[in-house]
mmCIF file of all heavy atoms in Angstrom:
data_model
loop_
_atom_site.group_PDB
_atom_site.id
_atom_site.type_symbol
_atom_site.label_atom_id
_atom_site.label_comp_id
_atom_site.label_asym_id
_atom_site.label_seq_id
_atom_site.Cartn_x
_atom_site.Cartn_y
_atom_site.Cartn_z
ATOM 1 N N ILE L 1 68.802 94.715 8.481
ATOM 2 C CA ILE L 1 68.142 93.980 9.522
ATOM 3 C C ILE L 1 67.956 94.899 10.787
ATOM 4 O O ILE L 1 68.758 95.532 11.312
ATOM 5 C CB ILE L 1 68.972 92.735 9.943
ATOM 6 C CG1 ILE L 1 69.317 91.847 8.778
ATOM 7 C CG2 ILE L 1 68.355 91.963 11.156
ATOM 8 C CD1 ILE L 1 68.086 91.210 8.162
ATOM 9 N N GLN L 2 66.674 94.829 11.334
ATOM 10 C CA GLN L 2 66.526 95.530 12.581
ATOM 11 C C GLN L 2 66.089 94.455 13.662
ATOM 12 O O GLN L 2 65.093 93.791 13.612
ATOM 13 C CB GLN L 2 65.218 96.435 12.387
ATOM 14 C CG GLN L 2 64.813 97.047 13.807
ATOM 15 C CD GLN L 2 63.494 97.868 13.734
ATOM 16 O OE1 GLN L 2 63.178 98.414 12.826
ATOM 17 N NE2 GLN L 2 62.767 97.772 14.846
ATOM 18 N N PRO L 3 67.057 94.144 14.504
ATOM 19 C CA PRO L 3 66.812 93.211 15.581
ATOM 20 C C PRO L 3 65.783 93.682 16.653
ATOM 21 O O PRO L 3 65.739 94.955 16.972
ATOM 22 C CB PRO L 3 68.107 92.969 16.297
ATOM 23 C CG PRO L 3 68.839 94.208 15.944
ATOM 24 C CD PRO L 3 68.387 94.731 14.758
ATOM 25 N N ALA L 4 64.785 92.855 17.015
ATOM 26 C CA ALA L 4 63.858 93.122 18.082
ATOM 27 C C ALA L 4 64.095 92.090 19.130
ATOM 28 O O ALA L 4 63.569 91.066 19.033
ATOM 29 C CB ALA L 4 62.394 93.200 17.511
ATOM 30 N N ILE L 5 64.841 92.498 20.032
ATOM 31 C CA ILE L 5 65.186 91.444 21.225
ATOM 32 C C ILE L 5 64.085 91.424 22.254
ATOM 33 O O ILE L 5 63.787 92.406 22.779
ATOM 34 C CB ILE L 5 66.545 91.722 21.750
ATOM 35 C CG1 ILE L 5 67.638 92.107 20.816
ATOM 36 C CG2 ILE L 5 66.977 90.670 22.728
ATOM 37 C CD1 ILE L 5 67.887 90.852 19.866
ATOM 38 N N ASP L 6 63.510 90.269 22.328
ATOM 39 C CA ASP L 6 62.321 90.156 23.236
ATOM 40 C C ASP L 6 62.758 89.418 24.500
ATOM 41 O O ASP L 6 63.525 88.518 24.554
ATOM 42 C CB ASP L 6 61.186 89.216 22.668
ATOM 43 C CG ASP L 6 60.661 89.851 21.343
ATOM 44 O OD1 ASP L 6 60.820 91.192 21.169
ATOM 45 O OD2 ASP L 6 60.046 89.156 20.450
ATOM 46 N N ASP L 7 62.233 89.878 25.679
ATOM 47 C CA ASP L 7 62.463 89.302 26.896
ATOM 48 C C ASP L 7 61.533 88.187 27.074
ATOM 49 O O ASP L 7 60.584 87.934 26.378
ATOM 50 C CB ASP L 7 62.466 90.243 28.141
ATOM 51 C CG ASP L 7 61.053 90.829 28.277
ATOM 52 O OD1 ASP L 7 60.131 90.325 27.745
ATOM 53 O OD2 ASP L 7 60.958 91.841 29.077
ATOM 54 N N PRO L 8 61.688 87.320 28.089
ATOM 55 C CA PRO L 8 60.644 86.160 28.307
ATOM 56 C C PRO L 8 59.254 86.540 28.414
ATOM 57 O O PRO L 8 58.399 85.763 28.092
ATOM 58 C CB PRO L 8 61.220 85.573 29.581
ATOM 59 C CG PRO L 8 62.760 85.924 29.724
ATOM 60 C CD PRO L 8 62.754 87.319 29.185
ATOM 61 N N THR L 9 58.857 87.801 28.781
ATOM 62 C CA THR L 9 57.544 88.198 28.851
ATOM 63 C C THR L 9 57.043 88.928 27.717
ATOM 64 O O THR L 9 55.899 89.259 27.465
ATOM 65 C CB THR L 9 57.455 89.205 30.012
ATOM 66 O OG1 THR L 9 58.159 90.428 29.805
ATOM 67 C CG2 THR L 9 57.901 88.636 31.400
ATOM 68 N N GLY L 10 57.919 89.164 26.538
ATOM 69 C CA GLY L 10 57.556 89.671 25.433
ATOM 70 C C GLY L 10 57.090 91.147 25.532
ATOM 71 O O GLY L 10 55.993 91.537 25.107
ATOM 72 N N PHE L 11 57.938 91.964 26.150
ATOM 73 C CA PHE L 11 57.619 93.330 26.396
ATOM 74 C C PHE L 11 57.234 94.103 25.157
ATOM 75 O O PHE L 11 57.752 93.747 24.137
ATOM 76 C CB PHE L 11 58.611 94.010 27.241
ATOM 77 C CG PHE L 11 59.835 94.485 26.315
ATOM 78 C CD1 PHE L 11 59.979 95.820 25.901
ATOM 79 C CD2 PHE L 11 60.759 93.535 26.052
ATOM 80 C CE1 PHE L 11 61.007 96.166 25.143
ATOM 81 C CE2 PHE L 11 61.800 93.952 25.058
ATOM 82 C CZ PHE L 11 61.902 95.240 24.748
ATOM 83 N N THR L 12 56.380 95.200 25.415
ATOM 84 C CA THR L 12 55.928 95.995 24.229
ATOM 85 C C THR L 12 56.653 97.342 24.125
ATOM 86 O O THR L 12 56.828 98.043 25.178
ATOM 87 C CB THR L 12 54.448 96.227 24.256
ATOM 88 O OG1 THR L 12 53.774 94.933 24.210
ATOM 89 C CG2 THR L 12 53.962 97.068 23.130
ATOM 90 N N ILE L 13 57.108 97.675 22.983
ATOM 91 C CA ILE L 13 57.766 98.990 22.785
ATOM 92 C C ILE L 13 56.835 100.025 22.085
ATOM 93 O O ILE L 13 56.154 99.527 21.085
ATOM 94 C CB ILE L 13 59.034 98.761 21.990
ATOM 95 C CG1 ILE L 13 60.011 97.956 22.733
ATOM 96 C CG2 ILE L 13 59.567 100.134 21.613
ATOM 97 C CD1 ILE L 13 61.306 97.771 22.041
ATOM 98 N N GLY L 14 56.765 101.134 22.416
ATOM 99 C CA GLY L 14 55.885 102.251 21.796
ATOM 100 C C GLY L 14 56.318 103.534 22.130
ATOM 101 O O GLY L 14 57.422 103.786 22.914
ATOM 102 N N VAL L 15 55.597 104.452 21.615
ATOM 103 C CA VAL L 15 56.005 105.964 21.886
ATOM 104 C C VAL L 15 54.841 106.636 22.623
ATOM 105 O O VAL L 15 54.858 107.823 22.810
ATOM 106 C CB VAL L 15 56.233 106.719 20.579
ATOM 107 C CG1 VAL L 15 57.611 106.186 19.923
ATOM 108 C CG2 VAL L 15 55.113 106.660 19.608
ATOM 109 N N GLY L 16 53.817 105.767 23.163
ATOM 110 C CA GLY L 16 52.826 106.333 24.027
ATOM 111 C C GLY L 16 52.143 107.487 23.331
ATOM 112 O O GLY L 16 51.545 107.384 22.238
ATOM 113 N N ARG L 17 51.875 108.483 24.115
ATOM 114 C CA ARG L 17 51.000 109.615 23.637
ATOM 115 C C ARG L 17 51.820 110.904 23.141
ATOM 116 O O ARG L 17 51.394 111.906 22.964
ATOM 117 C CB ARG L 17 50.194 110.198 24.827
ATOM 118 C CG ARG L 17 49.154 109.256 25.405
ATOM 119 C CD ARG L 17 47.971 109.176 24.440
ATOM 120 N NE ARG L 17 47.298 110.510 24.249
ATOM 121 C CZ ARG L 17 46.523 110.863 23.292
ATOM 122 N NH1 ARG L 17 46.253 110.003 22.387
ATOM 123 N NH2 ARG L 17 45.986 112.094 23.310
ATOM 124 N N THR L 18 53.170 110.546 22.893
ATOM 125 C CA THR L 18 54.012 111.649 22.478
ATOM 126 C C THR L 18 53.600 112.064 21.060
ATOM 127 O O THR L 18 53.860 113.333 20.694
ATOM 128 C CB THR L 18 55.463 111.303 22.530
ATOM 129 O OG1 THR L 18 55.676 110.157 21.594
ATOM 130 C CG2 THR L 18 55.883 110.871 23.882
ATOM 131 N N THR L 19 53.202 111.222 20.190
ATOM 132 C CA THR L 19 52.770 111.555 18.739
ATOM 133 C C THR L 19 51.778 110.582 18.239
ATOM 134 O O THR L 19 51.695 109.397 18.582
ATOM 135 C CB THR L 19 54.055 111.545 17.913
ATOM 136 O OG1 THR L 19 53.764 111.883 16.513
ATOM 137 C CG2 THR L 19 54.750 110.211 17.936
ATOM 138 N N ARG L 20 51.000 111.120 17.332
ATOM 139 C CA ARG L 20 49.972 110.257 16.589
ATOM 140 C C ARG L 20 50.690 109.489 15.466
ATOM 141 O O ARG L 20 50.342 108.424 15.185
ATOM 142 C CB ARG L 20 48.824 111.117 16.047
ATOM 143 C CG ARG L 20 47.815 110.324 15.222
ATOM 144 C CD ARG L 20 46.669 111.227 14.642
ATOM 145 N NE ARG L 20 47.415 112.184 13.680
ATOM 146 C CZ ARG L 20 47.591 111.883 12.420
ATOM 147 N NH1 ARG L 20 47.266 110.737 11.975
ATOM 148 N NH2 ARG L 20 48.090 112.825 11.695
ATOM 149 N N ARG L 21 51.619 110.218 14.808
ATOM 150 C CA ARG L 21 52.358 109.649 13.734
ATOM 151 C C ARG L 21 53.178 108.399 14.127
ATOM 152 O O ARG L 21 53.889 108.473 15.112
ATOM 153 C CB ARG L 21 53.242 110.673 12.981
ATOM 154 C CG ARG L 21 53.911 110.075 11.854
ATOM 155 C CD ARG L 21 54.741 111.202 11.175
ATOM 156 N NE ARG L 21 55.488 110.657 10.002
ATOM 157 C CZ ARG L 21 56.715 110.077 10.066
ATOM 158 N NH1 ARG L 21 57.245 109.983 11.279
ATOM 159 N NH2 ARG L 21 57.270 109.687 9.025
ATOM 160 N N ILE L 22 53.047 107.347 13.412
ATOM 161 C CA ILE L 22 53.833 106.156 13.780
ATOM 162 C C ILE L 22 55.162 106.184 13.220
ATOM 163 O O ILE L 22 55.353 106.187 12.025
ATOM 164 C CB ILE L 22 53.007 104.893 13.287
ATOM 165 C CG1 ILE L 22 51.595 104.924 13.716
ATOM 166 C CG2 ILE L 22 53.691 103.489 13.694
ATOM 167 C CD1 ILE L 22 50.727 103.818 13.120
ATOM 168 N N PRO L 23 56.239 106.215 14.018
ATOM 169 C CA PRO L 23 57.557 106.210 13.513
ATOM 170 C C PRO L 23 57.866 105.007 12.673
ATOM 171 O O PRO L 23 57.395 103.865 12.862
ATOM 172 C CB PRO L 23 58.381 106.344 14.730
ATOM 173 C CG PRO L 23 57.531 105.724 15.821
ATOM 174 C CD PRO L 23 56.147 106.101 15.532
ATOM 175 N N PRO L 24 58.752 105.120 11.736
ATOM 176 C CA PRO L 24 59.060 103.999 10.889
ATOM 177 C C PRO L 24 59.535 102.756 11.552
ATOM 178 O O PRO L 24 59.114 101.591 11.143
ATOM 179 C CB PRO L 24 60.229 104.490 9.917
ATOM 180 C CG PRO L 24 60.061 106.085 9.953
ATOM 181 C CD PRO L 24 59.468 106.342 11.343
ATOM 182 N N TRP L 25 60.289 102.885 12.683
ATOM 183 C CA TRP L 25 60.765 101.625 13.354
ATOM 184 C C TRP L 25 59.641 100.896 13.997
ATOM 185 O O TRP L 25 59.578 99.660 13.984
ATOM 186 C CB TRP L 25 61.833 102.054 14.358
ATOM 187 C CG TRP L 25 61.461 102.876 15.458
ATOM 188 C CD1 TRP L 25 61.453 104.283 15.460
ATOM 189 C CD2 TRP L 25 60.774 102.653 16.648
ATOM 190 N NE1 TRP L 25 60.979 104.822 16.612
ATOM 191 C CE2 TRP L 25 60.458 103.802 17.290
ATOM 192 C CE3 TRP L 25 60.417 101.447 17.306
ATOM 193 C CZ2 TRP L 25 59.841 103.777 18.584
ATOM 194 C CZ3 TRP L 25 59.737 101.342 18.515
ATOM 195 C CH2 TRP L 25 59.472 102.684 19.217
ATOM 196 N N LEU L 26 58.589 101.699 14.404
ATOM 197 C CA LEU L 26 57.468 100.959 15.118
ATOM 198 C C LEU L 26 56.476 100.397 14.069
ATOM 199 O O LEU L 26 56.014 99.304 14.252
ATOM 200 C CB LEU L 26 56.663 101.973 16.007
ATOM 201 C CG LEU L 26 55.419 101.513 16.687
ATOM 202 C CD1 LEU L 26 55.749 100.380 17.489
ATOM 203 C CD2 LEU L 26 54.842 102.611 17.554
ATOM 204 N N LEU L 27 56.436 101.101 12.913
ATOM 205 C CA LEU L 27 55.538 100.563 11.817
ATOM 206 C C LEU L 27 56.213 99.225 11.311
ATOM 207 O O LEU L 27 55.398 98.240 11.051
ATOM 208 C CB LEU L 27 55.624 101.558 10.666
ATOM 209 C CG LEU L 27 54.803 101.099 9.408
ATOM 210 C CD1 LEU L 27 53.262 100.953 9.813
ATOM 211 C CD2 LEU L 27 54.873 102.170 8.272
ATOM 212 N N ARG L 28 57.532 99.150 11.255
ATOM 213 C CA ARG L 28 58.131 97.863 10.921
ATOM 214 C C ARG L 28 57.740 96.734 11.865
ATOM 215 O O ARG L 28 57.583 95.464 11.507
ATOM 216 C CB ARG L 28 59.706 97.952 10.828
ATOM 217 C CG ARG L 28 60.139 98.772 9.654
ATOM 218 C CD ARG L 28 61.586 98.529 9.361
ATOM 219 N NE ARG L 28 62.492 98.837 10.479
ATOM 220 C CZ ARG L 28 63.053 100.009 10.671
ATOM 221 N NH1 ARG L 28 62.760 101.085 9.849
ATOM 222 N NH2 ARG L 28 63.907 100.297 11.590
ATOM 223 N N LEU L 29 57.692 97.001 13.156
ATOM 224 C CA LEU L 29 57.334 96.049 14.228
ATOM 225 C C LEU L 29 55.848 95.586 13.965
ATOM 226 O O LEU L 29 55.487 94.443 14.115
ATOM 227 C CB LEU L 29 57.497 96.467 15.609
ATOM 228 C CG LEU L 29 58.981 96.846 15.970
ATOM 229 C CD1 LEU L 29 58.961 97.347 17.509
ATOM 230 C CD2 LEU L 29 59.807 95.655 15.993
ATOM 231 N N VAL L 30 54.947 96.551 13.664
ATOM 232 C CA VAL L 30 53.540 96.248 13.468
ATOM 233 C C VAL L 30 53.321 95.361 12.241
ATOM 234 O O VAL L 30 52.726 94.317 12.335
ATOM 235 C CB VAL L 30 52.739 97.559 13.379
ATOM 236 C CG1 VAL L 30 51.382 97.197 13.069
ATOM 237 C CG2 VAL L 30 52.875 98.387 14.643
ATOM 238 N N THR L 31 53.936 95.733 11.124
ATOM 239 C CA THR L 31 53.766 94.940 9.875
ATOM 240 C C THR L 31 54.443 93.613 9.970
ATOM 241 O O THR L 31 53.951 92.696 9.445
ATOM 242 C CB THR L 31 54.359 95.714 8.703
ATOM 243 O OG1 THR L 31 55.703 96.155 8.881
ATOM 244 C CG2 THR L 31 53.571 96.945 8.416
ATOM 245 N N GLY L 32 55.576 93.615 10.614
ATOM 246 C CA GLY L 32 56.228 92.383 10.861
ATOM 247 C C GLY L 32 55.421 91.361 11.676
ATOM 248 O O GLY L 32 55.506 90.144 11.469
ATOM 249 N N ARG L 33 54.762 91.869 12.683
ATOM 250 C CA ARG L 33 53.912 91.073 13.563
ATOM 251 C C ARG L 33 52.690 90.615 12.872
ATOM 252 O O ARG L 33 52.291 89.344 12.964
ATOM 253 C CB ARG L 33 53.564 91.810 14.897
ATOM 254 C CG ARG L 33 52.589 91.001 15.795
ATOM 255 C CD ARG L 33 51.938 91.924 16.788
ATOM 256 N NE ARG L 33 51.111 92.858 16.001
ATOM 257 C CZ ARG L 33 50.579 94.035 16.589
ATOM 258 N NH1 ARG L 33 50.953 94.373 17.768
ATOM 259 N NH2 ARG L 33 49.753 94.841 15.870
ATOM 260 N N ASP L 34 51.948 91.495 12.292
ATOM 261 C CA ASP L 34 50.620 91.206 11.605
ATOM 262 C C ASP L 34 50.787 90.402 10.341
ATOM 263 O O ASP L 34 49.758 89.612 9.997
ATOM 264 C CB ASP L 34 49.936 92.414 11.346
ATOM 265 C CG ASP L 34 49.488 93.059 12.682
ATOM 266 O OD1 ASP L 34 49.631 92.430 13.805
ATOM 267 O OD2 ASP L 34 48.959 94.315 12.672
ATOM 268 N N GLN L 35 51.721 90.619 9.593
ATOM 269 C CA GLN L 35 51.953 89.889 8.309
ATOM 270 C C GLN L 35 50.673 90.021 7.376
ATOM 271 O O GLN L 35 50.191 89.193 6.712
ATOM 272 C CB GLN L 35 52.040 88.488 8.460
ATOM 273 C CG GLN L 35 53.339 88.176 9.172
ATOM 274 C CD GLN L 35 54.645 88.508 8.499
ATOM 275 O OE1 GLN L 35 54.832 88.219 7.262
ATOM 276 N NE2 GLN L 35 55.516 89.373 9.026
ATOM 277 N N GLY L 36 50.112 91.332 7.259
ATOM 278 C CA GLY L 36 49.026 91.533 6.439
ATOM 279 C C GLY L 36 47.854 92.060 7.176
ATOM 280 O O GLY L 36 47.860 92.187 8.355
ATOM 281 N N CYS L 37 46.678 92.319 6.368
ATOM 282 C CA CYS L 37 45.403 92.873 7.045
ATOM 283 C C CYS L 37 44.960 91.860 8.080
ATOM 284 O O CYS L 37 44.780 90.633 7.757
ATOM 285 C CB CYS L 37 44.441 93.082 5.925
ATOM 286 S SG CYS L 37 42.875 93.703 6.421
ATOM 287 N N ARG L 38 44.649 92.333 9.240
ATOM 288 C CA ARG L 38 44.166 91.490 10.300
ATOM 289 C C ARG L 38 42.600 91.216 10.266
ATOM 290 O O ARG L 38 42.077 90.486 11.095
ATOM 291 C CB ARG L 38 44.511 92.114 11.595
ATOM 292 C CG ARG L 38 45.909 92.277 11.929
ATOM 293 C CD ARG L 38 46.545 90.933 12.126
ATOM 294 N NE ARG L 38 46.070 90.299 13.341
ATOM 295 C CZ ARG L 38 46.412 90.457 14.609
ATOM 296 N NH1 ARG L 38 47.452 91.273 14.912
ATOM 297 N NH2 ARG L 38 45.901 89.820 15.636
ATOM 298 N N PHE L 39 41.844 91.876 9.262
ATOM 299 C CA PHE L 39 40.466 91.714 9.168
ATOM 300 C C PHE L 39 40.231 90.243 8.841
ATOM 301 O O PHE L 39 40.952 89.599 7.982
ATOM 302 C CB PHE L 39 39.876 92.619 8.116
ATOM 303 C CG PHE L 39 38.324 92.563 8.218
ATOM 304 C CD1 PHE L 39 37.667 93.618 8.937
ATOM 305 C CD2 PHE L 39 37.571 91.689 7.472
ATOM 306 C CE1 PHE L 39 36.384 93.537 8.919
ATOM 307 C CE2 PHE L 39 36.134 91.807 7.539
ATOM 308 C CZ PHE L 39 35.634 92.697 8.241
ATOM 309 N N PRO L 40 39.341 89.571 9.537
ATOM 310 C CA PRO L 40 39.026 88.076 9.243
ATOM 311 C C PRO L 40 38.824 87.747 7.853
ATOM 312 O O PRO L 40 37.916 88.360 7.257
ATOM 313 C CB PRO L 40 37.822 87.771 10.258
ATOM 314 C CG PRO L 40 37.849 88.870 11.084
ATOM 315 C CD PRO L 40 38.421 90.114 10.566
#
């Protein structure tokens, strides 16, 4: 389990411009939020 504790404003976590490659922990947040392809 990777907990993602959100504050009341739902702040966003990222690594900015430090790297193009998406780290695994951030990829999990993206896939967990989108639940599949976002194309309509």
Side-chain angles (χ1 to χ4, degrees):
I1 303 292
Q2 175 189 326
I5 310 301
D6 299 335
D7 67 12
T9 64
F11 77 100
T12 299
I13 294 178
V15 294
R17 292 284 301 163
T18 59
T19 177
R20 178 184 64 84
R21 182 179 179 274
I22 304 170
W25 60 267
L26 181 55
L27 182 61
R28 290 199 297 270
L29 295 178
V30 175
T31 56
R33 178 199 63 199
D34 291 349
Q35 297 299 307
C37 177
R38 295 290 297 275
F39 193 90

